[in-house]
Amino acid sequence: MALKWGSAPAATVVMARDPRFLPSPKGEPGRDSGQGISSGIVAGFLVVLVLLGALTVLALHAVTEANQRLERIAENHNVKTELATTMHNALRERALAMHAMPIITDAFEKDAMAQYFHAQGVVYMEARAKLQNMPLSQAEQTILARIAALTREAQPEVERVVDMATFTDDSDAIFERIRSVAMPRQRAIAREVNQLIELQREQTAKALAQARSSYQAVRTLLLALGTAAVLVGLTVAAFVSRRVAHQAGLLARQALYDPLTGLANRCLLQDRLSGEIAQAQRQSTSFGVVLLDLDHFKEVNDTLGHEVGDEVLREVARRLVGTVRGEDTVSRLGGDEYVLLLHGLAEKNAQVVALKILAALDRPFVWQGNLIDLGASLGVALYPAHGEDASSLIRCADIAMYAAKRSGRGWALYSTEQDRLGRADLSFRSELREAIRNDELVLHYQPKIDLHTRRVVGLEALVRWDHPVKGFLSPDRFILLAEQAGLIGALTEWVLERALRDLVRLHHDGHLLHAAVNLSARSLHDLGLPASIETLLARAGMAPDHLMLEITESAVMANPSDSLAILTELDRMGVRLAIDDFGTGYSSLAYLKRLPVDEVKIDKSFVLDLATNESDAVIVRSTIDLAHNLGLSVTAEGVETQDIWDTLTILGCDCAQGYHMARPMGLNALRQWLRTSPWAGGENAASQVLSP
Ligand SMILES: Nc1nc2c(ncn2[C@@H]2O[C@@H]3COP(=O)(O)O[C@H]4[C@@H](O)[C@H](n5cnc6c(=O)[nH]c(N)nc65)O[C@@H]4COP(=O)(O)O[C@H]3[C@H]2O)c(=O)[nH]1
């Protein structure tokens, strides 16, 4: 399968439009905006603090000033009013004394009244003098000047009346004088004094009005500043709350969406799954859960790097979103595992949808001009038939997915039979993983004999599993499982490492043989394989031409471009290559010409009946001829009898492997065999090799 970068613009649009698929912002959204928020808050509150500080200072200043002014005004006007009142009272007392004197007959009382009259004059003069010494307004000065003038005018008249009252008894004349001369003058002075008092009252009222208006101004200023502070505070609060809401949105997105693909993550999937279950339960409908896993993603990641791997995951996400309906949910659980919730899916539609999804992922996928070979397997579980809660549905979809992988069909609908097989598979898989780690695997070696010299020239390493319960297991029982479980890389590495170690030992024993190791189809996806083999060879100190790698033609055909690249690199390193099981596949012979192989191994199915089956003989003969024409050597597998040996010799085959010469055996048995077998030039050589 090949995917083209950016080849699904429609899907991209869907993801960008649908908030379910909006990708999260890259990087660390929390830190920068967090700093921005803090500085925004600090700056905002500093402004508010400065405003409030200025407000307080201004208010205090204004209030103090207004108070002082009021105090001054009140003090001045109180004193002036008091002095004017004193003057007014003194005038009144003098007038009363003036009126009393003519009617007092007792000389002593008259004299006392005259003294009282004069004393009130002193009081009046003193009050007037004090007033004149005070800071005076123009109006006050004018009034006081008028009072002084009137006083000067009235004084002699009043004095005369008092003298008349003191020295004569003509009260009528005295009263007449008082009424006509003295009192009008006294009243004129009193009017002026009253005017002075009235002026004080007016000035106090004016000062109060002024104070009131300056209070008003201060209040307006305070109100303006207060409003400004509140506005700044509100702006800061709005800014902060917007940023906090934005931040909360980001956190919610991180919590619910996969940052790489923008798809729903496990958490949101769980939520949607619960929602789907509730809805389907209410409406008595069904829906589907699809678990999808990319088949060769690990190889893409390992060989092309994580950036390419990430791009593949994003492209897969876009395609899935573009394939399913708007009401469906597409999520990524992590790695290359996707889960889709298909709203309202019924069993009869499962196949159509599964094939549609597989078809979407089957479109060409190109990276920098290279085809990337991916495959997907998906399992479908249905609500309520296969499970009524989220975890059962996911588990069933998972089991179905493994069944799909096993069957190679690409998709499977859950069944209880899969469950049983799946469980067994699951434990077998983890046992195999442990077996590789704990050296429970064993290598057997089958000698390869040169048909011309009749001597062993090489060995084929064949792996077995010494299972603690099931006993010795042949590779047919676990190689496919290792491939499906992603363990084939580890297994191949173990076999290569062990085979090279054993070969070093055999070389030390003097047997300069080559060892052949089988590579699985999956290994031909691993572009890093040549480098690992180079490392293993260097570690073992083994020349590359002592290692032969056997690959099947179907493995090569499954991924021609990567296989060719890997084989070319191995050939450049000097490692020998053989096409195994030749004849069983459907590769064109012309294609064989392009591969840098050294040898063809004819499958035993053509060899076992070679001596008796004419058509097998024709196939073997043509294969030998063709291989020789291409400059390749030929090994026949499954040589069980002397007749087959003889026929192969006649047909010009180069090497043979089979039970007739030796069965696969463990290292110790092999060393013994190499010491004793005639095929190895051992002790029994003469008798056995010559015998027909
Ligand atoms: N009937 C008959 N059979 C004969 C005769 N001579 C050899 N054989 C069997 O033929 C198989 C030859 O290996 P293969 O074609 O590479 O086929 C191998 C190979 O494809 C795979 N295999 C074995 N070891 C490994 C390994 O380390 N890695 C990988 N990827 N595959 C392996 O498992 C397959 C089976 O291996 P084995 O069970 O060991 O089976 C071996 C061997 O025991 C004979 O005269 N008659």
Side-chain angles (χ1 to χ4, degrees):
M1 178 180 75
L3 308 176
K4 197 169 191 102
W5 307 111
S7 64
T12 317
V13 173
V14 172
M15 290 172 77
R17 217 188 303 127
D18 187 337
R20 290 176 307 161
F21 305 117
L22 280 173
S24 290
K26 284 184 181 161
E28 256 184 284
R31 199 180 293 162
D32 290 351
S33 42
Q35 278 173 357
I37 288 180
S38 324
S39 45
I41 294 172
V42 169
F45 279 108
L46 273 179
V47 171
V48 173
L49 274 181
V50 168
L51 276 174
L52 286 175
L55 201 67
T56 314
V57 170
L58 272 173
L60 281 175
H61 181 71
V63 168
T64 315
E65 220 175 44
N67 270 346
Q68 282 172 353
R69 194 164 346 119
L70 256 185
E71 261 172 35
R72 268 200 312 278
I73 291 168
E75 218 175 84
N76 271 346
H77 292 289
N78 280 349
V79 173
K80 283 177 186 171
T81 308
E82 205 179 294
L83 290 172
T85 309
T86 307
M87 284 166 70
H88 187 271
N89 290 345
L91 280 176
R92 198 186 65 222
E93 289 303 310
R94 272 165 70 93
L96 286 174
M98 210 161 51
H99 280 85
M101 279 183 73
I103 50 173
I104 296 172
T105 50
D106 183 65
F108 287 109
E109 278 184 25
K110 204 177 256 194
D111 187 48
M113 189 54 74
Q115 279 178 24
Y116 180 69
F117 174 84
H118 289 300
Q120 286 304 313
V122 173
V123 169
Y124 171 86
M125 292 306 284
E126 276 177 3
R128 208 189 75 186
K130 274 183 190 162
L131 252 176
Q132 273 169 336
N133 285 335
M134 286 185 75
L136 297 171
S137 67
Q138 190 58 47
E140 287 168 336
Q141 281 176 13
T142 311
I143 293 172
L144 276 175
R146 273 207 305 270
I147 288 173
L150 285 170
T151 307
R152 266 195 309 277
E153 217 179 280
Q155 191 62 15
E157 280 308 319
V158 174
E159 293 287 338
R160 192 166 307 136
V161 169
V162 171
D163 283 350
M164 278 172 72
T166 308
F167 301 113
T168 66
D169 292 327
D170 187 359
S171 55
D172 290 342
I174 296 168
F175 277 122
E176 179 53 35
R177 187 101 196 156
I178 289 172
R179 195 171 50 247
S180 59
V181 183
M183 273 320 285
R185 289 192 165 79
Q186 283 291 88
R187 270 200 287 279
I189 295 169
R191 262 197 310 275
E192 290 299 326
V193 172
N194 275 342
Q195 211 175 333
L196 190 63
I197 292 170
E198 183 59 21
L199 185 68
Q200 293 313 309
R201 200 188 57 74
E202 273 172 19
Q203 280 185 350
T204 306
K206 211 164 135 192
L208 274 174
Q210 247 175 25
R212 219 172 278 132
S213 90
S214 72
Y215 264 122
Q216 193 67 38
V218 168
R219 221 176 65 181
T220 312
L221 185 70
L222 284 178
L223 214 74
L225 282 172
T227 311
V230 168
L231 281 179
V232 171
L234 283 177
T235 312
V236 171
F239 168 78
V240 169
S241 79
R242 234 196 9 251
R243 294 306 297 255
V244 165
H246 178 66
Q247 204 70 8
L250 282 184
L251 285 176
R253 165 152 292 286
Q254 276 170 355
L256 297 177
Y257 292 90
D258 168 35
L260 180 72
T261 59
L263 295 179
N265 67 7
R266 190 183 288 271
C267 187
L268 185 55
L269 171 75
Q270 202 68 30
D271 190 53
R272 295 257 167 94
L273 201 43
S274 309
E276 279 288 343
I277 290 173
Q279 196 182 349
Q281 209 168 28
R282 259 197 325 274
Q283 300 170 351
S284 300
T285 52
S286 62
F287 71 90
V289 176
V290 172
L291 200 117
L292 182 146
D293 166 286
L294 302 176
D295 286 343
H296 304 301
F297 181 69
K298 192 178 172 312
E299 283 96 316
V300 173
N301 240 0
D302 290 350
T303 53
L304 299 175
H306 288 276
E307 266 180 38
V308 180
D310 286 352
E311 198 48 51
V312 167
L313 292 174
R314 278 194 280 266
E315 176 64 12
V316 168
R318 281 192 281 268
R319 288 181 183 205
L320 291 176
V321 170
T323 305
V324 298
R325 292 183 183 162
E327 70 256 33
D328 298 333
T329 296
V330 182
S331 68
R332 177 171 163 258
L333 295 192
D336 58 341
E337 223 174 38
Y338 298 81
V339 172
L340 292 85
L341 296 189
L342 303 179
H343 187 74
L345 185 77
E347 184 168 351
K348 62 178 181 343
N349 302 324
Q351 177 167 6
V352 178
V353 179
L355 293 179
K356 198 167 81 170
I357 294 170
L358 288 175
L361 299 181
D362 207 30
R363 289 205 312 271
F365 187 25
V366 181
W367 181 73
Q368 292 187 349
N370 296 313
L371 280 180
I372 294 181
D373 190 38
L374 279 176
S377 304
L378 61 90
V380 186
L382 295 170
Y383 172 92
H386 302 143
E388 294 193 5
D389 60 81
S391 59
S392 319
L393 285 165
I394 299 266
R395 194 182 62 82
C396 291
D398 190 34
I399 290 166
M401 188 193 72
Y402 273 102
K405 275 189 192 289
R406 267 198 309 273
S407 71
R409 276 179 57 213
W411 83 279
L413 184 67
Y414 172 78
S415 73
T416 41
E417 174 61 7
Q418 289 164 4
D419 207 346
R420 201 181 53 72
L421 290 173
R423 272 180 226 277
D425 249 28
L426 216 62
S427 68
F428 203 48
R429 242 181 275 161
S430 55
E431 279 177 15
L432 180 58
R433 185 175 287 113
E434 286 304 298
I436 297 171
R437 202 176 296 153
N438 301 336
D439 268 2
E440 274 176 33
L441 300 182
V442 178
L443 279 191
H444 277 190
Y445 295 96
Q446 184 174 38
K448 188 166 116 184
I449 314 293
D450 186 317
L451 276 157
H452 310 294
T453 63
R454 295 171 170 259
R455 287 288 183 268
V456 59
V457 286
L459 308 160
E460 179 176 2
L462 295 158
V463 70
R464 274 97 183 86
W465 180 0
D466 190 6
H467 193 279
V469 180
K470 297 179 178 139
F472 249 61
L473 299 179
S474 75
D476 299 334
R477 299 274 306 274
F478 59 89
I479 291 291
L480 187 64
L481 187 80
E483 289 192 336
Q484 287 167 354
L487 295 170
I488 195 68
L491 187 141
T492 306
E493 190 168 327
W494 185 91
V495 171
L496 277 163
E497 201 264 324
R498 181 58 58 95
L500 287 171
R501 202 174 77 187
D502 291 347
L503 193 63
V504 168
R505 252 175 107 177
L506 295 174
H507 281 204
H508 277 304
D509 291 350
H511 305 292
L512 293 179
L513 306 169
H514 70 258
V517 167
N518 288 282
L519 287 188
S520 88
R522 279 288 178 106
S523 304
L524 293 182
H525 288 277
D526 180 3
L527 293 171
L529 183 76
S532 346
I533 291 179
E534 198 162 31
T535 310
L536 288 171
L537 282 166
R539 212 182 288 158
M542 181 58 64
D545 61 345
H546 281 113
L547 177 65
M548 176 170 269
L549 297 173
E550 297 189 5
I551 47 186
T552 63
E553 36 177 340
S554 46
V556 176
M557 293 311 289
N559 181 10
S561 59
D562 282 356
S563 301
L564 189 62
I566 291 170
L567 297 180
T568 307
E569 180 58 15
L570 288 168
D571 180 55
R572 192 199 56 75
M573 283 161 51
V575 173
R576 294 159 70 189
L577 302 166
I579 291 282
D580 203 5
D581 301 344
F582 192 81
T584 55
Y586 45 83
S587 58
S588 77
L589 298 174
Y591 195 79
L592 192 63
K593 208 173 109 186
R594 289 178 52 201
L595 295 175
V597 289
D598 305 274
E599 184 173 301
V600 167
K601 292 187 86 173
I602 303 175
D603 189 67
K604 58 178 177 286
S605 58
F606 302 103
V607 179
L608 289 170
D609 298 327
L610 179 65
T612 52
N613 186 319
E614 192 54 37
S615 53
D616 282 352
V618 171
I619 292 170
V620 171
R621 180 201 297 269
S622 338
T623 306
I624 292 169
D625 289 348
L626 172 89
H628 283 169
N629 285 339
L630 291 172
L632 309 175
S633 71
V634 182
T635 295
E637 289 181 321
V639 181
E640 290 189 352
T641 63
Q642 182 66 40
D643 284 350
I644 300 173
W645 172 278
D646 292 339
T647 311
L648 287 168
T649 312
I650 294 165
L651 293 177
C653 189
D654 303 295
C655 291
Q657 241 178 273
Y659 296 167
H660 175 59
M661 294 79 76
R663 285 179 177 261
M665 58 195 117
L667 182 67
N668 289 338
L670 175 72
R671 293 175 82 192
Q672 172 71 14
W673 183 88
L674 286 170
R675 273 198 301 276
T676 57
S677 168
W679 305 106
E683 302 153 1
N684 305 329
S687 56
Q688 288 200 13
V689 172
L690 294 176
S691 69

